Amino acid sequence: MKNTKMISLLVPIISVILAFLIGCIIMAALSANPAVALQALWKGAFGSVRNIGTTLSRSTPLIFTGLCACFAYKCGVFNLGGEGQFIMGSVVCTVIATQCGFTGLPAIIICLIAGAVAGGLWAMIPGVLKVYRGQNEMIISIMMNYIATLFMGVLFTNWLRDGSVPQTIAVPDGTRLTRLFGLRATSAFIIAIAVGLIVYYFLFNTSKGFQLRAVGFNMTAAKFNGFAVEKYFLFSFLISGMIAGLGGSAEILGTQFFLINGYAAGYGFDGVSMALIGQLHPIATMLVAIFFAALRVGSTTMQAATGVPTSVSDIIQALVIVFTVAGLALVKLPEFKAFTDRVFAKKKEVA
């Protein structure tokens, strides 16, 4: 068991190394110096205070949607609607911020809470249908993403359209989150980190968190031990949706300021990838989100310095996901477990 766990922890690290090796081969095939390209990639993400702020800003929505998936998956439910819940949090936040008539800290708090509630209620729809009607939560939550996107489109093309521009009215200056030390990153990043720490504490340091993880580990055994499995399912949907909704409202108040076509596209499935690579651990998920954000921010500088297209960075990200998922699936195979047990047993005999 310990051997398998240790190998599982090494899988993401090995996946990153393999992905970068293949990325370097592609760079060399494009007549670029891989060392120079990687140096430019690092410089673009962390080479200056401004670049660090941009990386942290880009990682913030990924942290929220990653934690959303992480919390739900820990209970054994598959919430693939993080993007829709993120959007609904943004929608409600935008409506309140532009229509409430007041600004300042009270407006910010109300917008953040309302966004979290909107995301939680949106997530409860597939949750209720799963618990009480036996429906597949993956399909329903994915379909809810499209509904949320179309509903957002109604706002920026009709109800809250800003004149002739296909976007909503911008959030007032007095309702925007403060920047961190003058960086592009805002207090939304601090909120994301705080949420991640709270999720970690709840899951691994409270009795309710233990019971939730027990339900996710073995639902049948949890039922026989008297756990209210259905309630935990609904609770996990609610909280995961609230995390995503809070992320959406924080993104609007901190970075985006208005809704527009293409807003939040892909955030939900990116979050699922972060959670899987982080092996459903909140702290690891946050680190993976920052890593992916760094790749995306640094790729622009890499292209400008070496001519390597930003798509190479996308390839590296995709390879990390593929290798990690494939590696974790391999580790769980009985044949692989038996093989590793024999290898470690022989090492002990030799020692």
Side-chain angles (χ1 to χ4, degrees):
M1 183 68 179
K2 291 182 179 180
N3 299 336
T4 303
K5 187 175 182 179
M6 182 180 67
I7 295 173
S8 298
L9 293 175
L10 291 175
V11 166
I13 299 174
I14 297 173
S15 300
V16 170
I17 295 173
L18 290 176
F20 270 102
L21 285 175
I22 296 176
C24 289
I25 294 173
I26 296 174
M27 295 173 193
L30 295 172
S31 302
N33 187 327
V36 175
L38 292 178
Q39 184 179 6
L41 181 70
W42 173 266
K43 185 177 180 181
F46 302 107
S48 67
V49 175
R50 178 184 176 86
N51 293 351
I52 292 174
T54 303
T55 299
L56 297 182
S57 176
R58 291 284 295 275
S59 70
T60 301
L62 300 179
I63 291 175
F64 277 111
T65 54
L67 292 173
C68 164
C70 180
F71 192 91
Y73 285 24
K74 272 296 183 183
C75 189
V77 296
F78 301 97
N79 180 11
L80 299 181
E83 182 176 316
Q85 294 143 27
F86 187 95
I87 289 174
M88 290 307 296
S90 302
V91 165
V92 172
C93 173
T94 302
V95 172
I96 294 176
T98 57
Q99 304 299 312
C100 68
F102 60 95
T103 59
L105 183 60
I108 293 175
I109 294 175
I110 291 173
C111 287
L112 292 176
I113 294 175
V117 172
L121 293 178
W122 197 252
M124 284 293 284
I125 297 174
V128 169
L129 290 174
K130 174 182 176 60
V131 171
Y132 294 107
R133 303 299 298 174
Q135 301 299 309
N136 188 306
E137 75 273 21
M138 292 187 289
I139 296 175
I140 296 173
S141 57
I142 290 174
M143 293 300 102
M144 297 293 289
N145 291 339
Y146 293 103
I147 297 173
T149 302
L150 294 172
F151 181 72
M152 177 181 67
V154 175
L155 261 68
F156 67 72
T157 59
N158 193 341
W159 295 346
L160 291 180
R161 181 167 180 158
D162 187 9
S164 60
V165 183
Q167 66 183 42
T168 60
I169 304 169
V171 172
D173 292 340
T175 316
R176 298 180 181 183
L177 297 176
T178 56
R179 293 183 178 273
L180 298 177
F181 311 109
L183 302 175
R184 185 180 178 186
T186 67
S187 50
F189 178 76
I190 301 299
I191 296 172
I193 297 299
V195 170
L197 294 176
I198 292 172
V199 170
Y200 169 76
Y201 180 82
F202 174 80
L203 289 176
F204 297 99
N205 293 279
T206 66
S207 59
K208 291 295 182 182
F210 171 78
Q211 292 174 18
L212 185 143
R213 289 187 292 118
V215 171
F217 185 74
N218 193 321
M219 181 182 65
T220 304
K223 279 186 176 180
F224 277 110
N225 281 276
F227 291 178
V229 173
E230 291 78 9
K231 290 183 179 180
Y232 279 105
F233 279 176
L234 292 176
F235 176 74
S236 64
F237 269 109
L238 176 64
I239 299 301
S240 64
M242 290 183 70
I243 293 172
L246 177 62
S249 55
E251 181 72 4
I252 285 293
L253 298 182
T255 304
Q256 185 67 28
F257 308 132
F258 52 81
L259 299 173
I260 194 171
N261 185 37
Y263 169 73
Y267 281 170
F269 291 107
D270 284 343
V272 173
S273 301
M274 311 296 144
L276 291 177
I277 295 173
Q279 300 186 44
L280 305 184
H281 192 288
I283 306 300
T285 298
M286 291 191 291
L287 294 175
V288 172
I290 295 173
F291 168 71
F292 271 67
L295 286 178
R296 295 174 183 184
V297 173
S299 61
T300 304
T301 303
M302 181 180 68
Q303 183 177 25
T306 64
V308 176
T310 57
S311 57
V312 174
S313 173
D314 296 333
I315 293 173
I316 293 174
Q317 295 174 53
L319 289 174
V320 171
I321 295 171
V322 171
F323 288 151
T324 302
V325 174
L328 292 176
L330 176 64
V331 169
K332 292 179 180 179
L333 289 176
E335 295 83 359
F336 185 85
K337 291 181 180 179
F339 172 76
T340 54
D341 289 341
R342 289 196 300 269
V343 171
F344 281 98
K346 289 182 179 179
K347 286 186 177 181
K348 288 182 179 180
E349 291 177 1
V350 172

